Amino acid sequence: MWNSTKITQLLGIEYPILQGPMGVGFSTPELLATVSNAGGLGSFGAYTLTPEEILETDKAIKLATSKPYNINLWVNDVDKSLINYSPEKLEKIKLLFKPYFDELGIPLPELSTDIPSKFEKQVEVLFEVKPAVFSFIFGIPSKEILAESRRLGIKTVGAATTLDEALALEEAQVDAIVASGFEAGGHRASFLKPAQDSFTGLFTLIQQIKAKTKTPIIAAGGITDAKGIGAAMILGAEAVQIGTAFMVTNESGATPTHKQMIFSDASNTTTISKSLTGRMGRMVSNKISDAVPFETEVLPFPLQTRLIAPLKVAALAQGRTDMISFWSGQNNANLKHHSAAELMQELILETGKLIR
Ligand SMILES: Cc1cc2nc3c(=O)[nH]c(=O)nc-3n(C[C@H](O)[C@H](O)[C@H](O)COP(=O)(O)O)c2cc1C
């Protein structure tokens, strides 16, 4: 049977279909539960949440499903360059973005560079709530954290954007590796080399990782339908992780404007830019990502995110969709489902017809 793989056995799920975790309000307990209850693995992107918020969210998740699910964190959630960041540089970079604030008639925000990492405290709560799966990006947790996950029976899943990152994850003995292709929506979570030097497409990445590692592979990036699932599995993936196709469903926390944008032809042109958050991420091309070339220095992550946050609110309120970072994968050609339950149903049925 196509759906019995190393990943379904490892995670105790029925179908090798994972809903990609999505941070900052895109994940919802409802979306997670819809996917887990349909036999896949629902995920919650929790990297911006306080430990208390993770506890609350987990209560809502446990009310909605008794099936396995995944909580996702960012190992490196604050750029090191933020330490002792020069106030002069901060003001200089802020001014680069002033024309956009002027255009929307709002002031530049006051920003503090005192942004502590949340990761360690988030992990403590994660060990309390014990999801079946702990997935992470932007690095590898410490040996102690991985050992404790193992002791608690929580499966660990790390993301690789290159073969070298996959080798490092295997060395750390994670349970599974997400091969995150260049096509994927959201941030490009490279951790060994800069993201701009880690642009491997999914077809290549699966095969490179498959040839050199034994850890089961979960393919992510540009997969939206049964053909994509079939292709990834034929190349050696034991499961797929789908982000954008779930982000546009009613169950996700994305704004209606964002969902409309992804269903429109505008989403055929995506780009990877650090101009909106400080780290490289794939989004629908917009006025700011077009105007700020990669070489332009922006604020470190997440300070740049905080600079742009009020601009995003004002742009949404004023209908200025040209100034908003609409996260998106590269392949939106065949997106059609507005219901996560229906999307799951079709993926399961159609993949079953394609591969047996
Ligand atoms: C809006 C958005 C936010 C995301 N946030 C996260 C995140 O916090 N953690 C993570 O591991 N992956 C994150 N991702 C990546 C997805 O989990 C998934 O791997 C990716 O979307 C797959 O590519 P696709 O969008 O082409 O399907 C995000 C993706 C999107 C679209």
Side-chain angles (χ1 to χ4, degrees):
M1 290 288 280
W2 74 274
N3 58 308
S4 177
T5 73
K6 285 183 189 159
I7 289 289
T8 57
Q9 287 151 25
L10 178 79
L11 307 184
I13 55 177
E14 211 178 332
Y15 298 102
I17 301 172
L18 283 60
Q19 168 244 319
M22 292 177 274
V24 209
F26 293 97
S27 293
T28 62
E30 192 192 355
L31 175 59
L32 174 152
T34 302
V35 176
S36 285
N37 289 340
L41 187 80
S43 304
F44 201 99
Y47 86 96
T48 55
L49 301 192
T50 62
E52 295 71 31
E53 287 167 337
I54 295 180
L55 278 176
E56 283 306 305
T57 303
D58 191 71
K59 275 189 204 150
I61 292 172
K62 286 194 166 75
L63 282 176
T65 185
S66 55
K67 297 283 177 70
Y69 62 89
N70 166 34
I71 292 189
N72 172 271
L73 298 176
W74 290 21
V75 180
N76 171 355
D77 58 345
V78 177
D79 281 350
K80 286 197 179 62
S81 55
L82 200 53
I83 301 169
N84 298 326
Y85 199 73
S86 131
E88 292 77 37
K89 205 159 156 188
L90 170 56
E91 290 311 313
K92 201 172 137 205
I93 294 180
K94 268 170 72 173
L95 282 181
L96 273 184
F97 290 86
K98 190 168 181 298
Y100 305 111
F101 286 77
D102 289 346
E103 208 174 322
L104 297 184
I106 57 165
L108 281 166
E110 287 306 317
L111 295 172
S112 161
T113 55
D114 181 19
I115 308 176
S117 165
K118 292 197 181 75
F119 178 67
E120 301 274 334
K121 291 259 178 286
Q122 290 170 326
V123 169
E124 282 174 23
V125 183
L126 188 127
F127 287 159
E128 267 178 56
V129 302
K130 296 189 196 63
V133 181
F134 165 30
S135 82
F136 44 82
I137 55 172
F138 283 117
I140 305 178
S142 66
K143 279 196 177 99
E144 292 72 27
I145 290 176
L146 290 176
E148 184 62 3
S149 302
R150 242 169 264 132
R151 196 185 68 78
L152 294 170
I154 301 170
K155 302 296 179 206
T156 54
V157 177
T161 62
T162 61
L163 171 61
D164 284 347
E165 290 176 353
L167 291 172
L169 286 161
E170 178 157 275
E171 170 90 25
Q173 298 179 356
V174 301
D175 292 300
I177 296 173
V178 173
S180 184
F182 166 76
E183 303 87 342
H187 283 96
R188 183 113 193 101
S190 306
F191 62 94
L192 288 181
K193 284 195 174 157
Q196 65 275 17
D197 300 327
S198 308
F199 279 173
T200 317
L202 183 62
F203 268 24
T204 300
L205 192 57
I206 298 172
Q207 294 174 84
Q208 286 183 334
I209 299 176
K210 181 80 184 165
K212 298 282 180 204
T213 70
K214 295 204 160 39
T215 311
I217 300 168
I218 299 161
I223 299 172
T224 61
D225 60 11
K227 288 181 190 159
I229 298 176
M233 291 183 71
I234 286 168
L235 289 175
E238 303 281 343
V240 298
Q241 175 164 293
I242 298 175
T244 304
F246 281 114
M247 184 185 69
V248 296
T249 62
N250 299 330
E251 292 88 339
S252 108
T255 61
T257 315
H258 193 156
K259 292 173 189 174
Q260 267 167 25
M261 175 64 80
I262 305 303
F263 277 117
S264 79
D265 284 344
S267 78
N268 286 324
T269 313
T270 63
T271 185
I272 294 192
S273 172
K274 61 181 165 56
S275 57
L276 284 301
T277 67
R279 286 188 184 172
M280 302 279 273
R282 185 173 289 286
M283 62 191 80
V284 176
S285 301
N286 56 69
K287 186 167 172 165
I288 303 176
S289 68
D290 285 350
V292 181
F294 172 71
E295 305 72 42
T296 303
E297 189 172 351
V298 299
L299 297 173
F301 182 87
L303 197 57
Q304 181 74 14
T305 319
R306 295 193 179 186
L307 168 63
I308 297 297
L311 192 77
K312 191 170 177 176
V313 174
L316 253 181
Q318 297 179 29
R320 289 296 304 271
T321 50
D322 58 331
M323 282 205 206
I324 299 174
S325 52
F326 290 113
W327 302 109
S328 173
Q330 208 170 19
N331 175 22
N332 300 319
N334 296 315
L335 290 181
K336 59 175 189 224
H337 288 286
H338 295 270
S339 146
E342 283 171 24
L343 171 62
M344 276 301 284
Q345 234 172 22
E346 180 176 305
L347 294 176
I348 292 166
L349 192 76
E350 295 301 320
T351 312
K353 289 183 196 163
L354 274 180
I355 49 175
R356 279 166 202 282

